[in-house]
Amino acid sequence: MLEDPDGFAGTTYHLGTEYVNFHRSDSMQGHRIAMAPGLSLPLRKTWGYVEPKVGVRYVGYQLSDEDPGIDDSASTLTGMFSLDSGLYFDRQANFFGTGTTQTLEPRLYYLYVPEENQDDQPVFDTGLFDFNFDNIFRENRFNGLDRIGDANQLTLALTSRMLADESGTELLRASVGQIIYFEDREVTLPGETTQDDSSSAIVAELAAQLGGGWYTRGGLQWDPHDGNGNTDQALAQLGYRDNDNRVFNAAYRLRDGVTEQTDLAMYWPVNEQLSLIGRHNYSLEENRLLEAIGGIEYGRCCWRLRAIASTITDDTGDSRNLTFMLQLELNGLGRFGNDIDQTLERGIYGYTAD
């Protein structure tokens, strides 16, 4: 796609499709097909952009052994319209002695999806997205295709960045946003009620590069409608990562009424052959260990061996599941044994297998 000097990028075509066959023993099962064609028209300048988009959303089922109240051939067809727009302002600034460009980036995102009753459809793999800054710009508030969320809403957001003039590196980013609802949200998951608040919680995020491989990030969610003045969710994290793949994280997480925990994790190469692995995830609210991981990685140019032990406490805190995992990696031939990479990517923020 080529962009002309006036910022007209031409029509962009979108098509998302998915087919899934859900098979469960002694349970509802069947086929689900979903399609999401759409058209958008990006209009961009150096100082801002506008991007309207129209589309259609379809999901259909062919079920067997369906639950009571579920149609064996249920389907939903609805349209959508969105209008994404933003402005870009900048000025020269100084960030701890470094020449930088400071930006101010207001953004408006309007979304309209008409309401269609979907109570006769099953729920196989769908829930609500976690509410954070990135997710307030999504076309669907549900993270699966069993529900197409109705919407008539406007997202208001503001981001400011500090960019190093020499390298272009983002040294600091601060964002805040909120959704204004013009109608109630009628489409729900089973057992939930209509959402009728006139606005969403306010979400804010902050991320900064501290130099020398150190960085910090934080997040906050505050709901003005709950009446108690409490913070719904919070995150504070200090991390380190260098070119030798050393990773360290210390984090605090809060979800009001659900969990309050600390998380320490590291992947630390001691030398070219030996690396240490560790994680300690602790619940402050329940005064108990949630998960602990300890292990080593040893190898040379053409092979590498990983061995870890992990313990996970169940929800009651009465019992622990102790697991030992072993993985052998042969350069050019693949990995054999337990999938330790997946465990480390899940438990150590910033760790990547490649």
Side-chain angles (χ1 to χ4, degrees):
M1 182 176 64
L2 298 177
E3 185 172 330
D4 71 14
D6 294 327
F8 179 75
T11 303
T12 302
Y13 303 93
H14 308 266
L15 177 62
T17 61
E18 181 181 280
Y19 165 77
V20 184
N21 183 4
F22 293 96
H23 181 79
R24 302 174 178 176
S25 300
D26 302 322
S27 179
M28 178 172 54
Q29 53 191 312
H31 308 268
R32 183 185 72 196
I33 185 170
M35 292 182 289
L39 297 172
S40 64
L41 184 62
L43 304 171
R44 299 185 180 273
K45 293 280 191 178
T46 57
W47 45 263
Y49 68 92
V50 175
E51 183 172 349
K53 180 180 179 180
V54 294
V56 175
R57 301 292 179 264
Y58 171 80
V59 61
Y61 300 85
Q62 287 296 325
L63 306 172
S64 60
D65 300 324
E66 62 273 9
D67 295 336
I70 301 300
D71 188 345
D72 64 355
S73 58
S75 65
T76 297
L77 177 65
T78 187
M80 66 80 59
F81 169 77
S82 68
L83 182 64
D84 195 4
S85 62
L87 295 173
Y88 181 89
F89 305 94
D90 65 77
R91 70 181 182 93
Q92 295 305 118
N94 188 283
F95 186 74
F96 294 103
T98 301
T100 61
T101 298
Q102 181 184 10
T103 72
L104 191 64
E105 306 166 40
R107 181 179 178 183
L108 296 178
Y109 177 72
Y110 176 74
L111 175 66
Y112 178 74
V113 181
E115 185 266 333
E116 293 289 339
N117 190 306
Q118 298 160 54
D119 293 341
D120 61 347
Q121 293 181 186
V123 175
F124 285 116
D125 60 356
T126 297
L128 283 171
F129 274 112
D130 189 29
F131 194 79
N132 57 41
F133 185 78
D134 291 334
N135 288 341
I136 63 178
F137 302 101
R138 289 189 178 273
E139 295 176 358
N140 191 359
R141 61 182 176 272
F142 298 101
N143 61 13
L145 299 175
D146 297 312
R147 290 293 185 270
I148 302 172
D150 54 324
N152 185 7
Q153 62 192 49
L154 178 67
T155 299
L156 312 174
L158 182 65
T159 296
S160 181
R161 309 173 200 264
M162 286 285 192
L163 307 174
D165 289 339
E166 290 188 2
S167 64
T169 302
E170 183 181 271
L171 303 176
L172 178 71
R173 183 183 72 255
S175 301
V176 62
Q178 185 181 32
I179 302 175
I180 306 301
Y181 300 112
F182 302 116
E183 295 180 359
D184 296 343
R185 279 75 64 214
E186 301 284 350
V187 177
T188 63
L189 295 169
E192 295 186 350
T193 59
T194 298
Q195 301 177 25
D196 58 4
D197 290 335
S198 60
S199 61
S200 72
I202 298 171
V203 290
E205 292 186 350
L206 177 68
Q209 298 291 332
L210 305 179
W214 290 93
Y215 64 90
T216 184
R217 67 186 187 115
L220 188 69
Q221 175 184 325
W222 178 73
D223 190 347
H225 303 290
D226 62 10
N228 57 23
N230 292 338
T231 299
D232 290 345
Q233 295 188 61
L235 166 69
Q237 180 180 359
L238 176 67
Y240 174 85
R241 184 172 183 179
D242 63 16
N243 294 331
D244 295 323
N245 293 324
R246 292 185 179 91
V247 176
F248 170 79
N249 288 299
Y252 167 82
R253 300 183 185 92
L254 168 69
R255 180 168 293 184
D256 189 35
V258 178
T259 185
E260 183 180 7
Q261 58 184 255
T262 59
D263 197 348
L264 299 173
M266 73 169 188
Y267 173 84
W268 203 264
V270 178
N271 52 46
E272 293 183 357
Q273 289 80 37
L274 179 65
S275 299
L276 303 179
I277 300 166
R279 186 191 185 197
H280 185 273
N281 188 201
Y282 188 81
S283 172
L284 298 174
E285 188 176 45
E286 302 170 300
N287 293 318
R288 66 182 179 90
L289 180 68
L290 299 175
E291 181 178 13
I293 297 175
I296 62 171
E297 178 183 290
Y298 185 83
R300 297 183 181 275
C301 60
C302 55
W303 63 273
R304 190 162 294 273
L305 182 67
R306 297 184 182 95
I308 67 171
S310 69
T311 177
I312 299 177
T313 309
D314 65 9
D315 293 338
T316 65
D318 296 331
S319 63
R320 294 182 179 180
N321 181 21
L322 181 62
T323 303
F324 295 95
M325 305 176 71
L326 192 67
Q327 183 185 61
L328 175 64
E329 178 180 346
L330 300 178
N331 191 20
L333 296 177
R335 300 182 178 99
F336 306 91
N338 302 111
D339 190 357
I340 292 180
D341 289 331
Q342 184 178 16
T343 301
L344 299 185
E345 288 178 346
R346 174 185 59 82
I348 304 177
Y349 179 84
Y351 171 86
T352 57
D354 299 326

